[in-house]
Amino acid sequence: MRSKEVVCSSIPARSASRASQVVEQIAISLQENACRLKYPGYGNGLLSISLFSAYYALFSGQRQFTTAAAAYFERAISAISVDIYAHKISYFRELIEMAFFVQFVKSNNLISFIDTDILAALDTRIDAFFKIKLREGELNHFGALYASEYYLTRIDQDPLAADRLVKLVEALEHFAIRDSAGYCWKWPFSKNDGIYLGMICGSARVIRVLSELYWIGIKQQEVIHLINRAADFILSQSQKPNPGYFPVKVHTEGRSDFMLDADLAVSCALWETYRITGRKDVLRVMECTLALCCQRRDLAGCRVGDASIQYGSTGLALRFEGLYRKSGLQDLKNASEYWHQQTMLQQRFDNDTAGFKASYNQMHVHTNIAFHEGIAGIGIGLMCYADASLPLPTQLI
């Protein structure tokens, strides 16, 4: 059965006050920096400002930010053009981001003014992209898997969504790399430098999507088979803790320090596997790995170099919080609290992005500003920390 979310406890008043101060500084910085964004999507573009504004309107009670959310949504729609991308795959990914954004803000009552008729136009282009990626075997976060995550949100609205999800299950079986350990996948184009285990582009993300398919009744026996074989492969990659159990990528023995997209991502996937299959071997590994994740607090040892959602402390805090809401385990809540505190401690730079700076991709203007690596995502994470009634944005990561 699906797990019920627990009622979230409040945080200390001093922590809430500090988080609110940082969020206010981020809001000011985003007003000054939003004009530098050119892409439409929420990961690196204008929709990240719309998303932050929608959260901030609820968080602060300043209703003018609802108007700002609407304005940036309209700007994002106007910015759609294949000409601004060096690679067409980025264009199609951002089309999915736009559609995903609409579904997320509507379902969570963040923005009420969006006309969902725009989805019909986006669906046509996303469907063409999805079919191409299915044929190519590009089933990752830049391909058919990400499109399928959007289709999951459309299952009650689009009669063709279920058929597309069936095709994803068939493609995952067809393109699986099979060995004695289980099933894994290697992508032909994006992230084609190895076989990944994590939630960004690896087996953990495959299991996350498959688990959602299971709960809505899509080819359940085939889905269970795929989940079991993917979990088998993940389990085969376990190492002695150094400092974690799992690497981000296979054949990287001794490199198990990236907690967010290795041990914690694997724990999330094994959690879903156990809920569906009841496998005791999966439960044992998940419990050991998750317990170690809760204990690990060294930033360098967890490879946490910034405060971002994509690679840093905010991403860790939100993942722990999501698991806490599903399980009620206090150790997870404590870990989420710790990493949110680390986020605020990383406000240490003298710059125009509220004192935060990403570890990677400094060649891009959007990096320190937008949702994935910048202050829009950090601010949303801190708002969810200070106000537990706000919806977690983990579905968008």
Side-chain angles (χ1 to χ4, degrees), residues 126-307:
I126 292 170
D127 190 42
F129 168 75
F130 177 73
K131 291 174 181 177
I132 292 170
K133 294 303 162 185
L134 281 182
R135 291 197 299 269
E136 294 175 343
E138 187 84 344
L139 311 179
N140 64 359
H141 66 314
F142 270 100
L145 196 69
Y146 189 49
S148 297
E149 293 177 54
Y150 163 62
Y151 292 142
L152 277 164
T153 71
R154 294 279 278 162
I155 199 73
D156 295 328
Q157 304 156 5
D158 183 352
L160 297 178
D163 291 339
R164 297 181 184 115
L165 294 170
V166 166
K167 289 181 172 60
L168 175 74
V169 174
E170 294 168 349
L172 285 168
E173 178 71 37
H174 177 74
F175 287 104
I177 299 172
R178 299 164 173 81
D179 62 21
S180 58
Y183 282 11
C184 60
W185 292 267
K186 183 176 181 180
W187 319 121
F189 302 114
S190 176
K191 286 289 185 181
N192 64 349
D193 57 337
I195 295 168
Y196 287 80
L197 299 182
M199 199 64 74
I200 294 178
C201 59
S203 300
R205 191 166 193 140
V206 172
I207 289 176
R208 185 180 80 174
V209 174
L210 287 171
S211 69
E212 291 296 320
L213 299 185
Y214 173 84
W215 292 118
I216 62 173
I218 299 289
K219 295 184 77 70
Q220 286 183 315
Q221 292 307 308
E222 293 88 343
V223 164
I224 290 174
H225 168 71
L226 284 167
I227 288 174
N228 273 320
R229 298 305 286 148
D232 289 340
F233 184 81
I234 287 176
L235 295 181
S236 75
Q237 300 301 309
S238 179
Q239 307 173 10
K240 292 182 179 180
N242 185 30
Y245 285 104
F246 291 93
V248 172
K249 189 165 61 172
V250 302
H251 306 309
T252 52
E253 288 77 6
R255 291 290 304 278
S256 55
D257 55 346
F258 189 12
M259 184 165 71
L260 177 56
D261 203 41
D263 277 26
L264 190 55
V266 164
S267 296
C268 292
L270 295 181
W271 180 285
E272 297 298 339
T273 300
Y274 173 69
R275 288 176 55 218
I276 291 171
T277 67
R279 287 176 52 175
K280 294 297 190 289
D281 59 335
V282 168
L283 177 63
R284 285 193 296 272
V285 175
M286 185 272 292
E287 288 180 334
C288 289
T289 307
L290 197 53
L292 183 59
C293 286
C294 291
Q295 296 166 14
R296 291 170 64 187
R297 299 292 172 90
D298 176 60
L299 272 68
C302 297
R303 211 191 299 181
V304 175
D306 62 33

Side-chain angles (χ1 to χ4, degrees), residues 76-123:
I77 296 298
S78 299
I80 298 175
S81 171
V82 71
D83 297 332
I84 64 175
Y85 299 97
H87 305 287
K88 285 188 177 181
I89 194 169
S90 297
Y91 164 71
F92 283 109
R93 177 177 167 81
E94 291 221 329
L95 291 180
I96 300 170
E97 281 194 2
M98 299 196 76
F100 215 153
F101 172 90
V102 171
Q103 291 291 82
F104 179 79
V105 298
K106 293 287 283 187
S107 64
N108 288 287
N109 298 314
L110 286 168
I111 301 177
S112 60
F113 53 78
I114 292 178
D115 185 353
T116 53
D117 288 346
I118 188 176
L119 295 178
L122 291 171
D123 281 350

